[in-house]
Amino acid sequence: MKLVVLLLFLVPCAVRADEEDEEEFNLAFIRKFDQSGESRERRSADLSSLAQLPANLTHEDVESLYPNAPFIMGQCVMCPPGSPGPRGPPGTVGSRREPTRNQQEPAEPTPKAGGVIFTRWGKLSCPDTAELIYNGVIASSHSQGHSGSGSNYLCMPNTPTFEDADQDYNGGAYMYGIEYNNDLYSSRGILNSEAACSVCLSRTKSTYVIMPATNVCLGDQDWTLEYHGYMMSSHYTHHKSEFICVDHIAEGVPRTNADNNEGTLYVADAHCSSSGGGLPCPPYNTNWDILCAVCTI
């Protein structure tokens, strides 16, 4: 019982002793690093007087005069800057560096991936700006006697490939050669001839557009005119097809000029009305031929 009472008395005493030691340590720390008002004023005076030091004083001079001056990596951080030193001699001339890729002169246009493919309707050859892939004859469905099958025009090659005859499915979608049913002003003698075509590749271009009602490329872009001609399609009393741009110097396939009228091409004419319902007139005029241009960029 006496031992328990003794421990209960000693433990609080030990705790108070530890607290007193810690407090004494803190006071000593503060006394050492938090200077009195007098010492702070003296150090402030020392530091402010550094701004009046001559610029030619050495490190040792400053340390001997003001031992409390702050130095970082051997440099007095509060001292005034010294006078500029003498100008050094010019360096040697370096070798000329080759221009980087962005500084070089622009190179010739390089082929874009894939290029662009377009059909030149009415010609067996391609423009000088493009390569010939193949040529042939324009074909589509019967435009007068049949009501079904396709309505678009295709450029059928002169060297077709077929499967064996015993695999003939005897389908009902017939395709016919398309004839010119007009003589063009710049292509006399093509009436009733089957219309020629060619498929062309321009390697340095990425897209093409058919611009109607013009024989030049419109817009401020750097277009290339591949060819120009006339918009043509089936007769308005026949089954619908599509409008294509036929070269102004059109060619016929030399095989025949028989008037079969299975599929025919007519020059497209404007039909306008000042009261609405047609193309605006002006600028269009009824029965004037619609031109076209095929442009690439």
Side-chain angles (χ1 to χ4, degrees), residues 18-19 27 32 100 102 104 113 126 203 219 246 253 278:
D18 291 341
E19 292 176 351
L27 290 174
K32 180 176 181 180
T100 62
N102 294 334
Q104 291 175 351
C126 291
R203 294 185 182 273
V246 178
V253 175

Side-chain angles (χ1 to χ4, degrees), residues 28 32 37 39 44-45 53 78 93 97 106 108 118 148 152 154 171 178 192 195 199 217 223 227 259 275-276 295:
K32 180 176 181 180
S39 63
S44 176
L53 291 176
M78 299 294 291
V93 179
R97 190 178 68 175
E108 292 294 324
F118 62 92
N152 58 313
L154 298 174
I178 301 300
N192 297 326
V199 176
C217 297
W223 292 102
Y227 72 94
D259 186 11
S275 60
C295 306

Side-chain angles (χ1 to χ4, degrees), residues 99-168:
T100 62
R101 186 179 65 176
N102 294 334
Q103 297 172 331
Q104 291 175 351
E105 293 295 326
E108 292 294 324
T110 56
K112 299 181 180 179
V116 63
I117 296 174
F118 62 92
T119 301
R120 188 182 192 186
W121 304 106
K123 296 292 285 187
L124 291 170
S125 59
C126 291
D128 294 337
T129 54
E131 304 173 22
L132 176 67
I133 298 177
Y134 72 89
N135 57 21
V137 60
I138 302 176
S140 188
S141 59
H142 201 296
S143 63
Q144 300 183 51
H146 301 166
S147 59
S149 194
S151 61
N152 58 313
Y153 293 110
L154 298 174
C155 185
M156 306 296 288
N158 288 324
T159 56
T161 301
F162 297 98
E163 293 285 356
D164 296 334
D166 58 1
Q167 296 184 10
D168 179 17

